[in-house]
Amino acid sequence: MANEQLSALIDATNTAVQEAKDDLTKLDQAIGDGDHGLNMARGFAAIEQDRDKILAKPLGPALQAAGMTLVMKVGGASGPLYGSLLMAMGKAAPEGEPDRASLADMLGAGVEAVKKRGKSDRGAKTMLDVLIPVQEALADGADIAKIRQVADDAAEATIPMVATKGRASYLGERSAGHLDPGAASSRLLLQTVCDVIEG
Amino acid sequence: MSQSPPTVGLVIVSHSSDVARGTAEMARQMVGDEVTIVHCGGDPDGGLGTDVSKIVEAIDQAWSEAGVAILVDLGGAETNSEMAVEMQPAERQDRIRILNAPVVEGAVMAAAEAAGGSPLSAVQATAEELMGQP
């Protein structure tokens, strides 16, 4: 991935997260503790602030540095979760330009790290319900339009789910009927990555 | 002068710095200065939440050769504490436990157990017994 693309990704994800801050917070107020928008906004603003330091590195270490920034700056569980995702993706990154197969491997490593960190898996009404199907689509050779569709469908599919992980799980059955905030932010970030790749 | 053996240190992590401070105060009332009890709470901007770097600092302050027990309140406090533990030197990590116990009651029980000079495993077991009550 060219440095310019990484630079564009930092800007685009920060802009997208700042714009979605209130929406993410509203989703989180319904079934969580109402801090997801604020926490994500703080984390991605911190990445933007660290941009020169991050962009001075090759892709792998750059992703690891961005992940560490999220871990240290977010303040909620989404920090270690998204931070672990990026750090594991960075560790799995190839030396040069990643191709589709290596991107799928990187996301696969990221998904495993999120599962481990969150002690969770598919079907618990979390960000994994978006990340896993998108990773599978990427590995299967889906084009960008298809990946967008998978991300969108997967996020919507969390609405009827009953949460078994995270703060929403305290609500039990009452968590059904709401879009999961982590699934929403994962969809947003993946869509933004697609925007940047399409240019 | 004989030195008493080191006691397990405690770290209290809550989303609210008030809850963390109050919990530490309650535990200290039980055990005085026999146990090092460090508290931290609040996100990096001072709102409700937890902060990995504050937790790392708290573990350093509470560090004892007998180990450190961490009490956490909700979701992110646990995830952020796990992250902070993983940032500790490898030789320390085996001697740090995040307890599966309610933060206030767990802190008081853990402090009382630690004050008696019990090892980390006993401090953990005593606090976690609370979760096993019907």
Side-chain angles (χ1 to χ4, degrees):
Chain A
M1 192 170 292
N3 208 264
E4 284 157 39
Q5 216 162 23
L6 195 56
S7 166
L9 267 177
I10 291 175
D11 291 339
T13 49
N14 183 37
T15 305
V17 167
Q18 302 305 330
E19 279 170 5
K21 184 169 132 182
D22 292 346
D23 290 339
L24 291 175
T25 290
K26 270 191 206 121
L27 291 173
D28 199 28
Q29 277 166 344
I31 57 170
D33 55 357
D35 64 359
H36 192 48
L38 190 70
N39 285 341
M40 292 294 278
R42 176 166 47 230
F44 281 82
I47 291 179
E48 182 76 63
Q49 260 187 355
D50 287 351
R51 60 173 298 131
D52 292 345
K53 206 175 78 194
I54 292 169
L55 290 172
K57 301 173 193 289
L59 177 65
L63 286 172
Q64 293 187 52
M68 188 48 78
T69 298
L70 290 182
V71 167
M72 300 310 285
K73 296 289 166 65
V74 165
S78 48
L81 292 170
Y82 278 111
S84 299
L85 175 76
L86 291 186
M87 284 158 71
M89 288 180 72
K91 270 188 208 140
E95 291 271 328
E97 291 266 306
D99 55 13
R100 167 186 288 279
S102 48
L103 278 176
D105 288 347
M106 286 164 65
L107 190 54
V111 163
E112 287 310 310
V114 175
K115 282 185 188 172
K116 198 169 152 242
R117 175 71 51 207
K119 302 182 195 79
S120 189
D121 209 327
R122 196 174 208 155
K125 195 179 179 97
T126 71
M127 58 196 280
L128 284 167
D129 290 310
V130 170
L131 295 177
I132 294 172
V134 166
Q135 194 278 332
E136 288 171 354
L138 188 62
D140 281 351
D143 61 15
I144 288 198
K146 175 71 181 166
I147 286 171
R148 285 184 187 279
Q149 188 64 48
V150 169
D152 203 37
D153 292 349
E156 296 297 319
T158 65
I159 294 175
M161 288 182 185
V162 172
T164 54
K165 276 288 161 189
R167 202 76 62 93
S169 63
Y170 302 160
L171 294 173
E173 297 288 332
R174 280 177 293 143
S175 65
H178 299 276
L179 176 62
D180 176 64
S185 58
S186 290
R187 166 172 62 183
L188 175 74
L189 292 170
L190 289 163
Q191 299 284 14
T192 307
V193 174
C194 290
D195 293 345
V196 170
I197 290 172
E198 282 182 325
Chain B
M1 199 174 113
S2 73
Q3 275 219 310
S4 49
T7 55
V8 172
L10 296 192
V11 171
I12 318 286
V13 183
S14 169
H15 279 61
S16 153
S17 61
D18 288 344
V19 169
R21 192 180 56 241
T23 302
E25 205 179 331
M26 286 173 68
R28 259 185 228 119
Q29 194 182 42
M30 296 283 295
V31 299
D33 300 331
E34 291 169 67
V35 179
T36 308
I37 304 172
V38 183
H39 61 88
C40 65
D43 68 27
D45 290 344
L48 293 177
T50 52
D51 178 344
V52 176
S53 52
K54 277 193 220 161
I55 303 172
V56 168
E57 235 170 79
I59 294 171
D60 281 342
Q61 285 173 27
W63 181 253
S64 141
E65 288 305 311
V68 167
I70 307 179
L71 278 300
V72 299
D73 59 2
L74 302 167
E78 183 182 10
T79 323
N80 277 325
S81 295
E82 287 170 355
M83 209 74 219
V85 172
E86 285 168 30
M87 289 176 189
Q88 294 290 318
E91 67 273 15
R92 275 189 179 185
Q93 290 187 17
D94 292 347
R95 280 180 285 166
I96 307 175
R97 303 277 164 78
I98 299 170
L99 308 189
N100 180 23
V103 66
V104 176
E105 293 87 337
V108 171
M109 295 303 290
E113 189 68 48
S118 297
L120 183 58
S121 56
V123 171
Q124 177 172 22
T126 300
E128 291 186 351
E129 258 174 43
L130 291 163
M131 292 299 278
Q133 303 298 322

PDB file of all heavy atoms in Angstrom, chain A residues 112-136:
ATOM      1  N   GLU A 112      -8.750 -12.605  14.346  1.00  0.00           N
ATOM      2  CA  GLU A 112      -8.368 -13.534  15.415  1.00  0.00           C
ATOM      3  C   GLU A 112      -7.986 -12.779  16.683  1.00  0.00           C
ATOM      4  O   GLU A 112      -8.316 -13.192  17.794  1.00  0.00           O
ATOM      5  CB  GLU A 112      -7.197 -14.432  14.969  1.00  0.00           C
ATOM      6  CG  GLU A 112      -7.590 -15.509  13.969  1.00  0.00           C
ATOM      7  CD  GLU A 112      -8.815 -16.322  14.393  1.00  0.00           C
ATOM      8  OE1 GLU A 112      -8.830 -16.812  15.545  1.00  0.00           O
ATOM      9  OE2 GLU A 112      -9.762 -16.442  13.592  1.00  0.00           O
ATOM     10  N   ALA A 113      -7.287 -11.667  16.501  1.00  0.00           N
ATOM     11  CA  ALA A 113      -6.868 -10.865  17.661  1.00  0.00           C
ATOM     12  C   ALA A 113      -8.076 -10.266  18.378  1.00  0.00           C
ATOM     13  O   ALA A 113      -8.120 -10.220  19.604  1.00  0.00           O
ATOM     14  CB  ALA A 113      -5.903  -9.765  17.226  1.00  0.00           C
ATOM     15  N   VAL A 114      -9.070  -9.831  17.600  1.00  0.00           N
ATOM     16  CA  VAL A 114     -10.282  -9.256  18.216  1.00  0.00           C
ATOM     17  C   VAL A 114     -11.049 -10.341  18.975  1.00  0.00           C
ATOM     18  O   VAL A 114     -11.532 -10.119  20.087  1.00  0.00           O
ATOM     19  CB  VAL A 114     -11.184  -8.592  17.152  1.00  0.00           C
ATOM     20  CG1 VAL A 114     -12.498  -8.116  17.776  1.00  0.00           C
ATOM     21  CG2 VAL A 114     -10.464  -7.420  16.496  1.00  0.00           C
ATOM     22  N   LYS A 115     -11.126 -11.532  18.380  1.00  0.00           N
ATOM     23  CA  LYS A 115     -11.803 -12.657  19.053  1.00  0.00           C
ATOM     24  C   LYS A 115     -11.156 -12.934  20.397  1.00  0.00           C
ATOM     25  O   LYS A 115     -11.809 -13.138  21.408  1.00  0.00           O
ATOM     26  CB  LYS A 115     -11.680 -13.938  18.211  1.00  0.00           C
ATOM     27  CG  LYS A 115     -12.611 -14.034  17.030  1.00  0.00           C
ATOM     28  CD  LYS A 115     -12.426 -15.417  16.403  1.00  0.00           C
ATOM     29  CE  LYS A 115     -13.170 -15.529  15.092  1.00  0.00           C
ATOM     30  NZ  LYS A 115     -12.846 -16.797  14.401  1.00  0.00           N
ATOM     31  N   LYS A 116      -9.816 -12.959  20.388  1.00  0.00           N
ATOM     32  CA  LYS A 116      -9.074 -13.280  21.591  1.00  0.00           C
ATOM     33  C   LYS A 116      -9.240 -12.164  22.630  1.00  0.00           C
ATOM     34  O   LYS A 116      -9.537 -12.429  23.788  1.00  0.00           O
ATOM     35  CB  LYS A 116      -7.598 -13.459  21.215  1.00  0.00           C
ATOM     36  CG  LYS A 116      -6.807 -14.181  22.246  1.00  0.00           C
ATOM     37  CD  LYS A 116      -5.419 -14.566  21.703  1.00  0.00           C
ATOM     38  CE  LYS A 116      -4.445 -14.638  22.850  1.00  0.00           C
ATOM     39  NZ  LYS A 116      -3.337 -13.694  22.767  1.00  0.00           N
ATOM     40  N   ARG A 117      -9.058 -10.952  22.184  1.00  0.00           N
ATOM     41  CA  ARG A 117      -9.136  -9.818  23.106  1.00  0.00           C
ATOM     42  C   ARG A 117     -10.530  -9.699  23.712  1.00  0.00           C
ATOM     43  O   ARG A 117     -10.698  -9.436  24.895  1.00  0.00           O
ATOM     44  CB  ARG A 117      -8.752  -8.531  22.362  1.00  0.00           C
ATOM     45  CG  ARG A 117      -8.895  -7.255  23.120  1.00  0.00           C
ATOM     46  CD  ARG A 117      -7.881  -7.083  24.214  1.00  0.00           C
ATOM     47  NE  ARG A 117      -6.522  -7.287  23.755  1.00  0.00           N
ATOM     48  CZ  ARG A 117      -5.528  -7.706  24.536  1.00  0.00           C
ATOM     49  NH1 ARG A 117      -5.747  -7.945  25.808  1.00  0.00           N
ATOM     50  NH2 ARG A 117      -4.325  -7.879  24.056  1.00  0.00           N
ATOM     51  N   GLY A 118     -11.566  -9.890  22.875  1.00  0.00           N
ATOM     52  CA  GLY A 118     -12.939  -9.733  23.355  1.00  0.00           C
ATOM     53  C   GLY A 118     -13.524 -11.028  23.888  1.00  0.00           C
ATOM     54  O   GLY A 118     -14.669 -11.050  24.326  1.00  0.00           O
ATOM     55  N   LYS A 119     -12.748 -12.113  23.843  1.00  0.00           N
ATOM     56  CA  LYS A 119     -13.239 -13.445  24.228  1.00  0.00           C
ATOM     57  C   LYS A 119     -14.598 -13.677  23.581  1.00  0.00           C
ATOM     58  O   LYS A 119     -15.586 -14.013  24.236  1.00  0.00           O
ATOM     59  CB  LYS A 119     -13.340 -13.575  25.750  1.00  0.00           C
ATOM     60  CG  LYS A 119     -12.021 -13.330  26.463  1.00  0.00           C
ATOM     61  CD  LYS A 119     -12.199 -13.524  27.970  1.00  0.00           C
ATOM     62  CE  LYS A 119     -11.046 -12.944  28.760  1.00  0.00           C
ATOM     63  NZ  LYS A 119     -11.157 -11.469  28.900  1.00  0.00           N
ATOM     64  N   SER A 120     -14.662 -13.441  22.289  1.00  0.00           N
ATOM     65  CA  SER A 120     -15.946 -13.506  21.604  1.00  0.00           C
ATOM     66  C   SER A 120     -15.786 -14.133  20.225  1.00  0.00           C
ATOM     67  O   SER A 120     -14.681 -14.484  19.806  1.00  0.00           O
ATOM     68  CB  SER A 120     -16.522 -12.095  21.487  1.00  0.00           C
ATOM     69  OG  SER A 120     -17.847 -12.148  21.029  1.00  0.00           O
ATOM     70  N   ASP A 121     -16.889 -14.289  19.555  1.00  0.00           N
ATOM     71  CA  ASP A 121     -16.876 -14.845  18.197  1.00  0.00           C
ATOM     72  C   ASP A 121     -18.133 -14.365  17.490  1.00  0.00           C
ATOM     73  O   ASP A 121     -18.900 -13.586  18.030  1.00  0.00           O
ATOM     74  CB  ASP A 121     -16.820 -16.385  18.262  1.00  0.00           C
ATOM     75  CG  ASP A 121     -16.113 -16.990  17.047  1.00  0.00           C
ATOM     76  OD1 ASP A 121     -16.222 -16.418  15.934  1.00  0.00           O
ATOM     77  OD2 ASP A 121     -15.455 -18.024  17.204  1.00  0.00           O
ATOM     78  N   ARG A 122     -18.344 -14.886  16.297  1.00  0.00           N
ATOM     79  CA  ARG A 122     -19.510 -14.543  15.501  1.00  0.00           C
ATOM     80  C   ARG A 122     -20.816 -14.815  16.263  1.00  0.00           C
ATOM     81  O   ARG A 122     -20.906 -15.791  16.997  1.00  0.00           O
ATOM     82  CB  ARG A 122     -19.468 -15.453  14.282  1.00  0.00           C
ATOM     83  CG  ARG A 122     -20.317 -15.058  13.171  1.00  0.00           C
ATOM     84  CD  ARG A 122     -19.998 -16.018  12.040  1.00  0.00           C
ATOM     85  NE  ARG A 122     -20.239 -15.355  10.786  1.00  0.00           N
ATOM     86  CZ  ARG A 122     -19.655 -15.683   9.659  1.00  0.00           C
ATOM     87  NH1 ARG A 122     -18.789 -16.641   9.601  1.00  0.00           N
ATOM     88  NH2 ARG A 122     -19.936 -15.030   8.568  1.00  0.00           N
ATOM     89  N   GLY A 123     -21.804 -13.939  16.068  1.00  0.00           N
ATOM     90  CA  GLY A 123     -23.137 -14.213  16.610  1.00  0.00           C
ATOM     91  C   GLY A 123     -23.403 -13.636  17.986  1.00  0.00           C
ATOM     92  O   GLY A 123     -24.464 -13.846  18.556  1.00  0.00           O
ATOM     93  N   ALA A 124     -22.433 -12.889  18.545  1.00  0.00           N
ATOM     94  CA  ALA A 124     -22.629 -12.309  19.878  1.00  0.00           C
ATOM     95  C   ALA A 124     -23.063 -10.843  19.784  1.00  0.00           C
ATOM     96  O   ALA A 124     -23.104 -10.147  20.782  1.00  0.00           O
ATOM     97  CB  ALA A 124     -21.355 -12.435  20.711  1.00  0.00           C
ATOM     98  N   LYS A 125     -23.406 -10.381  18.576  1.00  0.00           N
ATOM     99  CA  LYS A 125     -23.836  -9.000  18.337  1.00  0.00           C
ATOM    100  C   LYS A 125     -22.694  -8.033  18.622  1.00  0.00           C
ATOM    101  O   LYS A 125     -22.785  -7.170  19.494  1.00  0.00           O
ATOM    102  CB  LYS A 125     -25.068  -8.660  19.201  1.00  0.00           C
ATOM    103  CG  LYS A 125     -25.824  -7.374  18.782  1.00  0.00           C
ATOM    104  CD  LYS A 125     -27.032  -7.163  19.686  1.00  0.00           C
ATOM    105  CE  LYS A 125     -27.787  -5.893  19.324  1.00  0.00           C
ATOM    106  NZ  LYS A 125     -28.941  -6.154  18.455  1.00  0.00           N
ATOM    107  N   THR A 126     -21.606  -8.216  17.910  1.00  0.00           N
ATOM    108  CA  THR A 126     -20.446  -7.345  18.101  1.00  0.00           C
ATOM    109  C   THR A 126     -19.847  -6.977  16.743  1.00  0.00           C
ATOM    110  O   THR A 126     -20.327  -7.415  15.693  1.00  0.00           O
ATOM    111  CB  THR A 126     -19.320  -8.048  18.905  1.00  0.00           C
ATOM    112  OG1 THR A 126     -18.726  -9.056  18.055  1.00  0.00           O
ATOM    113  CG2 THR A 126     -19.846  -8.701  20.170  1.00  0.00           C
ATOM    114  N   MET A 127     -18.749  -6.226  16.793  1.00  0.00           N
ATOM    115  CA  MET A 127     -18.014  -5.853  15.586  1.00  0.00           C
ATOM    116  C   MET A 127     -17.576  -7.076  14.779  1.00  0.00           C
ATOM    117  O   MET A 127     -17.423  -7.006  13.566  1.00  0.00           O
ATOM    118  CB  MET A 127     -16.793  -5.007  15.955  1.00  0.00           C
ATOM    119  CG  MET A 127     -15.824  -5.690  16.902  1.00  0.00           C
ATOM    120  SD  MET A 127     -14.651  -4.539  17.671  1.00  0.00           S
ATOM    121  CE  MET A 127     -13.438  -4.342  16.365  1.00  0.00           C
ATOM    122  N   LEU A 128     -17.393  -8.209  15.465  1.00  0.00           N
ATOM    123  CA  LEU A 128     -16.967  -9.429  14.756  1.00  0.00           C
ATOM    124  C   LEU A 128     -18.016  -9.884  13.742  1.00  0.00           C
ATOM    125  O   LEU A 128     -17.680 -10.521  12.743  1.00  0.00           O
ATOM    126  CB  LEU A 128     -16.689 -10.554  15.752  1.00  0.00           C
ATOM    127  CG  LEU A 128     -15.373 -10.429  16.528  1.00  0.00           C
ATOM    128  CD1 LEU A 128     -15.353 -11.398  17.700  1.00  0.00           C
ATOM    129  CD2 LEU A 128     -14.172 -10.672  15.607  1.00  0.00           C
ATOM    130  N   ASP A 129     -19.283  -9.551  13.995  1.00  0.00           N
ATOM    131  CA  ASP A 129     -20.334  -9.951  13.059  1.00  0.00           C
ATOM    132  C   ASP A 129     -20.241  -9.206  11.729  1.00  0.00           C
ATOM    133  O   ASP A 129     -20.857  -9.612  10.754  1.00  0.00           O
ATOM    134  CB  ASP A 129     -21.710  -9.761  13.712  1.00  0.00           C
ATOM    135  CG  ASP A 129     -21.919 -10.777  14.826  1.00  0.00           C
ATOM    136  OD1 ASP A 129     -21.699 -11.974  14.568  1.00  0.00           O
ATOM    137  OD2 ASP A 129     -22.249 -10.375  15.950  1.00  0.00           O
ATOM    138  N   VAL A 130     -19.467  -8.140  11.685  1.00  0.00           N
ATOM    139  CA  VAL A 130     -19.178  -7.461  10.417  1.00  0.00           C
ATOM    140  C   VAL A 130     -17.798  -7.879   9.895  1.00  0.00           C
ATOM    141  O   VAL A 130     -17.629  -8.199   8.721  1.00  0.00           O
ATOM    142  CB  VAL A 130     -19.252  -5.920  10.583  1.00  0.00           C
ATOM    143  CG1 VAL A 130     -18.720  -5.212   9.349  1.00  0.00           C
ATOM    144  CG2 VAL A 130     -20.694  -5.501  10.852  1.00  0.00           C
ATOM    145  N   LEU A 131     -16.819  -7.889  10.792  1.00  0.00           N
ATOM    146  CA  LEU A 131     -15.444  -8.165  10.357  1.00  0.00           C
ATOM    147  C   LEU A 131     -15.295  -9.572   9.771  1.00  0.00           C
ATOM    148  O   LEU A 131     -14.598  -9.754   8.768  1.00  0.00           O
ATOM    149  CB  LEU A 131     -14.479  -7.997  11.544  1.00  0.00           C
ATOM    150  CG  LEU A 131     -14.357  -6.578  12.099  1.00  0.00           C
ATOM    151  CD1 LEU A 131     -13.440  -6.561  13.315  1.00  0.00           C
ATOM    152  CD2 LEU A 131     -13.827  -5.625  11.029  1.00  0.00           C
ATOM    153  N   ILE A 132     -15.925 -10.563  10.393  1.00  0.00           N
ATOM    154  CA  ILE A 132     -15.735 -11.946   9.929  1.00  0.00           C
ATOM    155  C   ILE A 132     -16.280 -12.147   8.511  1.00  0.00           C
ATOM    156  O   ILE A 132     -15.544 -12.616   7.637  1.00  0.00           O
ATOM    157  CB  ILE A 132     -16.312 -12.976  10.942  1.00  0.00           C
ATOM    158  CG1 ILE A 132     -15.498 -12.920  12.254  1.00  0.00           C
ATOM    159  CG2 ILE A 132     -16.276 -14.390  10.367  1.00  0.00           C
ATOM    160  CD1 ILE A 132     -16.094 -13.743  13.396  1.00  0.00           C
ATOM    161  N   PRO A 133     -17.545 -11.794   8.248  1.00  0.00           N
ATOM    162  CA  PRO A 133     -18.033 -11.994   6.868  1.00  0.00           C
ATOM    163  C   PRO A 133     -17.262 -11.170   5.828  1.00  0.00           C
ATOM    164  O   PRO A 133     -17.074 -11.636   4.696  1.00  0.00           O
ATOM    165  CB  PRO A 133     -19.506 -11.577   6.919  1.00  0.00           C
ATOM    166  CG  PRO A 133     -19.773 -11.056   8.265  1.00  0.00           C
ATOM    167  CD  PRO A 133     -18.642 -11.403   9.166  1.00  0.00           C
ATOM    168  N   VAL A 134     -16.811  -9.988   6.200  1.00  0.00           N
ATOM    169  CA  VAL A 134     -16.041  -9.177   5.246  1.00  0.00           C
ATOM    170  C   VAL A 134     -14.695  -9.856   4.963  1.00  0.00           C
ATOM    171  O   VAL A 134     -14.248  -9.932   3.812  1.00  0.00           O
ATOM    172  CB  VAL A 134     -15.839  -7.730   5.767  1.00  0.00           C
ATOM    173  CG1 VAL A 134     -14.766  -7.007   4.973  1.00  0.00           C
ATOM    174  CG2 VAL A 134     -17.154  -6.968   5.698  1.00  0.00           C
ATOM    175  N   GLN A 135     -14.076 -10.382   5.999  1.00  0.00           N
ATOM    176  CA  GLN A 135     -12.794 -11.075   5.796  1.00  0.00           C
ATOM    177  C   GLN A 135     -13.003 -12.282   4.882  1.00  0.00           C
ATOM    178  O   GLN A 135     -12.197 -12.540   3.994  1.00  0.00           O
ATOM    179  CB  GLN A 135     -12.217 -11.500   7.152  1.00  0.00           C
ATOM    180  CG  GLN A 135     -10.755 -11.931   7.121  1.00  0.00           C
ATOM    181  CD  GLN A 135     -10.566 -13.378   6.676  1.00  0.00           C
ATOM    182  OE1 GLN A 135     -11.454 -14.202   6.869  1.00  0.00           O
ATOM    183  NE2 GLN A 135      -9.429 -13.664   6.050  1.00  0.00           N
ATOM    184  N   GLU A 136     -14.096 -13.001   5.102  1.00  0.00           N
ATOM    185  CA  GLU A 136     -14.374 -14.175   4.272  1.00  0.00           C
ATOM    186  C   GLU A 136     -14.616 -13.779   2.816  1.00  0.00           C
ATOM    187  O   GLU A 136     -14.127 -14.440   1.888  1.00  0.00           O
ATOM    188  CB  GLU A 136     -15.585 -14.943   4.829  1.00  0.00           C
ATOM    189  CG  GLU A 136     -15.246 -15.682   6.119  1.00  0.00           C
ATOM    190  CD  GLU A 136     -16.469 -16.273   6.820  1.00  0.00           C
ATOM    191  OE1 GLU A 136     -17.613 -16.023   6.372  1.00  0.00           O
ATOM    192  OE2 GLU A 136     -16.270 -16.973   7.829  1.00  0.00           O
TER     193      GLU A 136
END
